[in-house]
Amino acid sequence: MQPLLRVTVILAVLLLPLHAADFALMVDGKAAATIVCSPTAPLPVQYAARELAVFLAKIAEGEQPPVSATPARDRSNVFLGTVADQALAKAAAVEPSDLAPGGFVITTRPDGLYILGGDPLGTLYGAYDILKKHGGIRWLFPGAEGEYFQVKKTIAVPEQKTIRNPYLTYRWMELNSVAVNKPYFDTREWQTRNYLIPKCLPVHIRSQQHGNHIRELGAECVSIGGHVLTPLLFGGKYPRQAEVDSLFQEHPEYFPLVNGKRILLDGQKYQPCTSHPEVIEIMAKSLIAKATDPDCTGLIIIGNNDGTGWCECENCRRLDPPEEAAKNRVATRYWTLVQTLAQRVWEVKPDAKLGGWAYQNFWAPPTGITLDPRLIVCISFNNQCWRHAITDPKCSVNREFRKLYLEWKNLGVQMYNRDEIAATGSVGSNFLPAEKILHQNFLDYPSLGLSGSSFCIVPPPPDAEVYAPLRRNIMDERNLRWAAMWQTNYLSAQFMFDITLDFDALYEECNRLFYGLGWEGGMKEFRALLTKAFAETPGCMGWGQNAPLGRCLDQPGVQEQLKALLAKAEKAAAADPDPRALQHVQRERDIFAYTWEAARVTYLESYRELTAFRKTAPIAIDGVIEEKDWKDADVMTGFMIPPWSKKEYQPEQTFFRVVYEPDNVYIAIEAMEPTPDAIIAEKNPQDAPHNKIGNSLEIFLSYPDMAVEYFHYTINSAGSIIDARHGPNKRDLAYNGDVEFATKVLADRWVLEMRIPTAGIGMKCFDGSTWRLNIARNRRISQDSSELSSWGSGHFHGIDNFGVVKFTPVRPTGLAQGHDPSAWKNASFNEVVENATLNQYRQWPATWKTTLVPTAWKVEPDTVGSTRLHPESSSNYYVELEKGIIGNWFVSPAAKLRITFRASGQGKARLWTGKYEAAKGKGYPFKGTTGSLTFEVKDDAWQTFTLDTDKGDEPRLLVRFFHQEGIVRIDDVMVTPTAE
Ligand SMILES: [Zn+2]
Ligand SMILES: [Zn+2]
């Protein structure tokens, strides 16, 4: 027995990581200290003591250390309190001024370990800091599913005096899209464990059931705030309509004057008359009552009703400085109200925290009033771009906001950012890998004048569900918004408190815990690729920019790679002993399907026409698609198998993009190929017989002047070309386009990059032109068969089946980027939408017989017709007109235009064009008819018609078809410049 005993003793010594100077909290599962906390200490401090005891026992799988009002004599003590307790601060040798609110000190003294907060919440953070740092626990996600630790029998704190103060003063989260009166303890506990300041409402803090715990969590109670102008006018409560009506009867002068008449507030659309002294008096009284509520010390934001309508009475308008009035801005008027009300509150409660926001038509600071430095400004630029950091010079959206931040900063007021990233309906709720962007923003906060963030999120299940009226899709049904953004939420919380932390280390640590074996098994690569795909998609992504999420999967093969990585990770995570690893990977697989993949389907269905942008830099024709213009280009895919195909299969996908300049069209095509070694293609002389071409791509190009003719280029992966001019009954191989091209066969695809000189085709690429294009593919990897597919619904030849390419000078930037910049939209009628999904101003009349309507086009009331598919096509639409008028705008400086269209049916109609000035106030002034063509159709054969017109210097041309007799079918209405 002797030798064995000796071994045991040595092992025990080795396992015990205690140094002489360490302060032991748990030793071998036994409590080694007493936690000392005054029973009169603030609730968060008492809670900190209990949490420390509970979690020490949990982590050490042992007994809970006792929590006592007095120090133990027989063992060491942990003292919890705040620096407001002078005796404690002295014993801990801490200067109270060294700690900010939310800050804490952890110090080992001869008589014990001290955890003192700059305020009660600081003490709670301090206790959690000990547990995180020395117990190894992490709270990555609200609730039990996010708690991670490994059993550690012995927990000790090394000798130290550590002071941590928060980086940002305001570290809030806004719990959006859920019922406001529920406590959501999982989420609020998660917040305190991750250094955030939970917020609550009087309904929480005064609740019999929840009030005590809400107070323990140090939640700041906010008595009123947000869109409050109507409530302030009605004693602090949202009024019933009858109360509004009766006040309107009695005092119409309290209500906004709009177009010369006092009107009701119309929900949140308008503000009351904010210059009326009685209105101000009523609002001040309501606000004072709320602001002096002893339970509520949180910041009150005096925000406008959620609409841009303001009173137009003389007194209100007098408040607007001319430069603001000229821009329809109301900053001075808004801040005059906020400041007037705030001053009234400060007369009775000087330390009340009050502020307003920079929002809607008052983003910029006021020019006609000097703000009291006690006011706190909430910056709420809802359109902020999340693809780029605020300071990223590439970002055309945030660039404008940066100027505004600096204007605000110059005023010297305290301000924080409302990061509306992950609320339901905001772009970030759709699984944006934005954690690194947020980290950069937080780094830049001081330079922008920001000292805090209010982060909008949706609390997760099990204790939260999305508010029923907002549950519009499966993400909300299952309430996956937090799960989709958990890294951003978790990491942002860490950096709001401490920006010096190492991003890469934290990122790696949290993901490794959360996905277990799934992280190295695939999730790490998945996240990296997802982030790359998000970051490298052209344009910005923020609310109001309508940047399609589906475009993030434009890069060929990325969607398949992402799915493969998820599948790989799922397999790896299944071997993890912690079942959460697999659950987390599987949930992410679902989220990816519900967000990115679903958006991809919608994107491919809605963007049937390719917008090509003008070339800005040289493009080398070398088969390497790396140039800037290629990266900025829209990418088209969605190749289908021919409708005549006897086999049903999913074709290997093909992706292409187009760039133009007046003298050249550039096309880059990537044909995904899992078995490049099996490709059958040989280098042939030019225009060798088509049956020798093998694995190839076919490019069909036509400008409107060519009517039904087109150029046809067949190029195989070995670098052979056949080029021809083609028509319905002709094929002219004598045509030689002098096309420059290069092919490359890579590991997972083959690439064709080509330049078609316009000198060889007889028409330059004018800005604003609309041409027809088709790309088809003959995938040949076996001697017996080919796999055929094309962009034109599976068709190869036949101009009716071609798609549309729109030559558009530049991709729009800034806040305008949601707008389609092309001169002529939906020439093919192939972009269709369910009428019911359009807003009320754009909806087509009920007389239209189909629920699908073409986008961009509009009809006059009572117009009768339908949106129909060509036979044998699932995506090629035309319109059939039985009565009325259908029209569309062409908007470009080009003057001389050619309009071509196809028509069939039995009847008569008239094409009419007229020119219009740019908008002056409401509508576009009419400047005269420019052309007219009456045409007749007699059968189902489609005929082509042409009308030349000249709109001179006017920017807009209206193109309309007036029905005259019978049934007239119309398709492919191309309007294109014929000269520069
Ligand atoms: Zn007014
Ligand atoms: Zn951007």
Side-chain angles (χ1 to χ4, degrees):
M1 291 304 285
Q2 272 301 80
L4 189 63
L5 184 69
R6 203 168 65 228
V7 170
T8 310
V9 168
I10 291 166
L11 268 182
V13 169
L14 284 176
L15 284 173
L16 207 69
L18 282 178
H19 299 287
D22 282 358
F23 185 90
L25 291 165
M26 300 294 287
V27 175
D28 210 14
K30 298 229 156 37
T34 291
I35 298 167
V36 185
C37 174
S38 159
T40 60
L43 284 180
V45 176
Q46 296 186 45
Y47 181 60
R50 291 208 310 280
E51 285 282 270
L52 190 58
V54 165
F55 279 104
L56 284 172
K58 196 169 185 178
I59 296 166
E61 263 184 352
E63 62 173 2
Q64 278 190 25
V67 177
S68 165
T70 49
R73 287 165 196 275
D74 54 342
R75 60 174 158 188
S76 50
N77 293 291
V78 182
F79 297 96
L80 267 78
T82 71
V83 287
D85 184 328
Q86 288 172 6
L88 266 183
K90 199 169 168 217
V94 177
E95 278 302 322
S97 59
D98 288 345
L99 294 187
F104 56 85
V105 60
I106 293 172
T107 177
T108 43
R109 303 282 300 162
D111 63 334
L113 174 71
Y114 285 80
I115 307 171
L116 301 193
D119 61 2
L121 199 49
T123 315
L124 193 48
Y125 296 154
Y128 289 131
D129 222 47
I130 297 251
L131 293 165
K132 286 184 265 191
K133 205 169 268 168
H134 308 295
I137 194 166
R138 298 288 181 273
W139 291 281
L140 305 179
F141 196 95
E145 81 152 280
E147 186 172 289
Y148 283 86
F149 67 92
Q150 291 204 319
V151 173
K152 199 176 173 194
K153 289 282 183 190
T154 295
I155 304 169
V157 179
E159 185 179 359
Q160 64 187 287
K161 179 177 182 182
T162 305
I163 292 179
R164 295 188 77 188
N165 280 312
Y167 171 59
L168 298 179
T169 309
Y170 309 112
R171 304 175 308 284
W172 291 316
M173 275 191 168
E174 219 175 274
L175 310 190
N176 290 149
S177 317
V178 292
V180 292
N181 56 352
K182 303 261 177 71
Y184 306 118
F185 282 140
D186 283 351
T187 300
R188 289 188 162 97
E189 286 169 3
W190 178 90
Q191 291 181 28
T192 55
R193 290 168 187 174
N194 289 292
Y195 316 108
L196 298 178
I197 306 166
K199 285 204 212 185
C200 72
L201 300 173
V203 64
H204 301 121
I205 213 156
R206 293 206 256 271
S207 155
Q208 282 280 328
Q209 206 184 344
H210 311 305
N212 196 59
H213 191 37
I214 282 279
R215 285 172 201 265
E216 286 177 341
L217 293 172
E220 275 181 8
C221 184
V222 181
S223 55
I224 191 172
H227 301 293
V228 295
L229 296 199
T230 299
L232 287 180
L233 187 59
F234 289 86
K237 275 209 206 89
Y238 220 90
R240 283 173 291 119
Q241 190 56 41
E243 295 172 73
V244 182
D245 293 344
S246 113
L247 186 68
F248 187 73
Q249 287 285 318
E250 222 176 308
H251 293 289
E253 71 278 13
Y254 293 180
F255 288 76
L257 186 79
V258 175
N259 293 328
K261 269 192 3 215
R262 295 284 169 182
I263 60 164
L264 283 164
L265 298 164
D266 196 357
Q268 295 264 327
K269 241 167 130 181
Y270 293 97
Q271 321 303 326
C273 176
T274 57
S275 65
H276 198 287
E278 285 166 26
V279 168
I280 294 169
E281 187 58 34
I282 296 168
M283 286 185 172
K285 280 196 176 129
S286 308
L287 188 61
I288 288 167
K290 292 283 178 187
T292 51
D293 181 330
D295 282 335
C296 302
T297 55
L299 170 65
I300 297 173
I301 289 288
I302 307 164
N304 65 319
N305 291 339
D306 202 2
T308 52
W310 288 74
C311 178
E312 295 166 3
C313 84
E314 215 174 298
N315 286 337
C316 280
R317 283 159 75 144
R318 202 174 294 137
L319 291 168
D320 303 334
E323 66 272 24
E324 286 184 25
K327 292 179 183 162
N328 286 320
R329 290 183 185 160
V330 292
T332 296
R333 193 201 286 212
Y334 167 71
W335 284 102
T336 302
L337 176 71
V338 171
Q339 182 141 303
T340 308
L341 296 176
Q343 276 160 348
R344 292 288 302 275
V345 174
W346 287 326
E347 283 167 17
V348 289
K349 190 182 178 194
D351 63 346
K353 285 190 219 120
L354 298 157
W357 54 38
Y359 186 55
Q360 289 177 335
N361 43 355
F362 45 96
W363 274 349
T367 52
I369 176 177
T370 305
L371 293 187
D372 187 307
R374 286 175 290 177
L375 284 172
I376 296 166
V377 180
C378 168
I379 304 283
S380 191
F381 300 151
N382 310 48
N383 308 67
Q384 185 179 341
C385 166
W386 303 108
R387 177 169 282 134
H388 304 116
I390 298 171
T391 52
D392 186 336
K394 281 196 303 292
C395 185
S396 57
V397 171
N398 293 341
R399 190 186 301 147
E400 296 308 308
F401 292 140
R402 204 157 63 241
K403 291 180 201 152
L404 293 173
Y405 283 113
L406 296 180
E407 284 179 32
W408 278 107
K409 186 187 178 196
N410 284 341
L411 298 190
V413 288
Q414 286 196 72
M415 55 202 249
Y416 69 94
N417 210 47
R418 183 167 179 275
D419 283 300
E420 192 176 27
I421 179 164
T424 298
S426 63
V427 293
S429 63
N430 293 310
F431 195 35
L432 297 193
E435 58 272 20
K436 186 93 193 171
I437 301 295
L438 267 296
H439 174 243
Q440 185 61 49
N441 284 352
F442 292 136
L443 275 170
D444 294 332
Y445 265 22
S447 75
L448 297 164
L450 293 165
S451 51
S453 166
S454 183
F455 209 81
C456 301
I457 46 90
V458 186
D463 65 355
E465 55 178 19
V466 171
Y467 180 55
L470 297 175
R471 264 179 251 153
R472 294 195 195 101
N473 60 41
I474 190 153
M475 283 293 285
D476 295 318
E477 286 296 337
R478 289 182 57 185
N479 189 7
L480 294 172
R481 303 291 179 186
W482 186 297
M485 295 299 286
W486 78 266
Q487 287 102 327
T488 302
N489 296 343
Y490 173 74
L491 293 170
S492 294
Q494 314 310 310
F495 297 119
M496 284 188 214
F497 190 80
D498 187 352
I499 197 67
T500 66
L501 297 169
D502 179 346
F503 179 91
D504 294 336
L506 271 186
Y507 175 85
E508 181 70 21
E509 180 195 86
C510 69
N511 282 299
R512 188 175 291 275
L513 287 172
F514 200 72
Y515 301 113
L517 292 175
W519 179 241
E520 287 293 345
M523 289 308 285
K524 187 173 184 168
E525 279 175 272
F526 171 80
R527 190 81 189 163
L529 186 56
L530 191 82
T531 307
K532 184 173 187 290
F534 171 59
E536 292 184 356
T537 300
C540 291
M541 193 144 204
W543 186 84
Q545 285 134 40
N546 303 323
L549 180 67
R551 191 176 278 163
C552 294
L553 290 172
D554 256 356
Q555 295 310 312
V558 164
Q559 186 170 4
E560 290 68 28
Q561 280 177 52
L562 287 168
K563 284 177 79 154
L565 288 168
L566 283 170
K568 213 175 114 196
E570 208 176 320
K571 261 198 192 137
D576 197 299
D578 185 339
R580 290 175 296 181
L582 182 60
Q583 286 159 16
H584 289 160
V585 173
Q586 286 174 335
R587 187 169 64 193
E588 198 119 326
R589 177 203 62 198
D590 292 350
I591 291 172
F592 180 63
Y594 301 155
T595 55
W596 285 48
E597 292 200 283
R600 182 67 179 163
V601 172
T602 314
Y603 175 72
L604 292 179
E605 279 171 3
S606 343
Y607 290 77
R608 295 264 164 103
E609 300 191 334
L610 175 63
T611 301
F613 299 106
R614 195 164 167 155
K615 183 169 154 256
T616 62
I619 291 179
I621 303 298
D622 53 8
V624 183
I625 306 171
E626 277 295 318
E627 285 87 353
K628 174 179 174 295
D629 288 312
W630 289 136
K631 289 193 167 156
D632 286 347
D634 280 1
V635 182
M636 273 289 170
T637 182
F639 279 48
M640 297 182 198
I641 61 171
W644 62 82
S645 176
K646 292 194 183 73
K647 283 184 292 178
E648 273 285 329
Y649 57 91
Q650 286 293 322
E652 284 303 326
Q653 268 309 321
T654 307
F655 299 78
F656 69 94
R657 45 197 111 188
V658 174
V659 170
Y660 77 98
E661 62 191 341
D663 297 329
N664 293 290
V665 181
Y666 296 82
I667 303 175
I669 310 176
E670 290 165 272
M672 303 313 287
E673 179 50 72
T675 55
D677 292 342
I679 284 176
I680 299 170
E682 281 171 32
K683 176 81 180 153
N684 303 325
Q686 181 153 1
D687 295 344
H690 192 269
N691 60 12
K692 292 218 157 92
I693 198 82
N695 187 62
S696 55
L697 288 159
E698 299 186 30
I699 295 94
F700 306 79
L701 186 65
S702 169
Y703 48 85
D705 229 16
M706 297 179 73
V708 293
E709 295 197 359
Y710 48 90
F711 296 97
H712 179 220
Y713 312 90
T714 306
I715 299 175
N716 76 9
S717 48
S720 319
I721 183 168
I722 309 171
D723 55 0
R725 183 172 172 133
H726 226 291
N729 295 304
K730 82 176 211 197
R731 179 168 172 83
D732 180 7
L733 281 168
Y735 160 73
N736 181 353
D738 285 326
V739 169
E740 183 188 0
F741 70 95
T743 59
K744 257 201 161 73
V745 179
L746 306 175
D748 64 344
R749 71 193 73 185
W750 74 275
V751 181
L752 165 63
E753 187 176 25
M754 67 191 293
R755 177 178 66 84
I756 304 172
T758 56
I761 61 178
M763 173 62 82
K764 287 190 172 201
C765 300
F766 298 118
D767 292 344
S769 295
T770 303
W771 289 19
R772 307 300 301 274
L773 174 73
N774 192 15
I775 309 284
R777 176 175 179 189
N778 174 2
R779 176 175 179 242
R780 189 131 179 123
I781 53 161
S782 127
Q783 289 294 354
D784 344 307
S785 67
S786 287
E787 183 184 290
L788 303 181
S789 62
S790 90
W791 183 45
S793 305
H795 292 274
F796 278 50
H797 289 269
I799 189 136
D800 330 356
N801 305 306
F802 293 2
V804 165
V805 55
K806 302 177 285 191
F807 297 135
T808 303
V810 285
R811 181 185 287 284
T813 56
L815 289 176
Q817 59 194 282
H819 146 89
D820 180 350
S822 51
W824 180 243
K825 300 170 181 62
N826 204 9
S828 60
F829 295 108
N830 290 350
E831 293 191 351
V832 293
V833 63
E834 283 291 338
N835 196 24
T837 63
L838 293 172
N839 77 37
Q840 53 171 324
Y841 306 104
R842 304 196 130 255
Q843 269 186 20
W844 285 35
T847 47
W848 196 256
K849 292 169 162 177
T850 50
T851 60
L852 279 182
V853 298
T855 62
W857 291 83
K858 284 187 197 71
V859 291
E860 288 298 308
D862 299 328
T863 295
V864 180
S866 44
T867 312
R868 293 169 169 265
L869 275 174
H870 284 280
E872 288 210 335
S873 175
S874 56
S875 58
N876 190 4
Y877 291 90
Y878 62 90
V879 294
E880 185 171 282
L881 203 56
E882 296 173 49
K883 183 189 170 193
I885 305 166
I886 182 169
N888 196 355
W889 288 101
F890 174 87
V891 186
S892 156
K896 287 195 167 50
L897 303 169
R898 172 155 299 168
I899 301 164
T900 64
F901 62 96
R902 302 194 299 138
S904 72
Q906 281 191 315
K908 240 167 95 177
R910 185 162 70 101
L911 165 65
W912 172 92
T913 61
K915 54 186 180 180
Y916 291 79
E917 263 183 80
K920 282 189 179 149
K922 278 173 191 158
Y924 307 103
F926 177 54
K927 302 298 282 184
T929 295
T930 66
S932 176
L933 170 76
T934 301
F935 60 96
E936 202 169 345
V937 283
K938 296 202 166 73
D939 54 37
D940 287 346
W942 289 88
Q943 298 176 59
T944 302
F945 297 92
T946 302
L947 172 69
D948 283 325
T949 192
D950 188 338
K951 71 176 176 54
D953 295 337
E954 302 301 346
R956 306 177 72 92
L957 183 80
L958 183 57
V959 177
R960 303 178 103 182
F961 290 92
F962 288 75
H963 173 269
Q964 291 181 334
E965 280 169 28
I967 287 179
V968 179
R969 303 185 186 119
I970 302 165
D971 200 3
D972 301 322
V973 185
M974 320 292 282
V975 182
T976 203
T978 50
E980 228 156 346

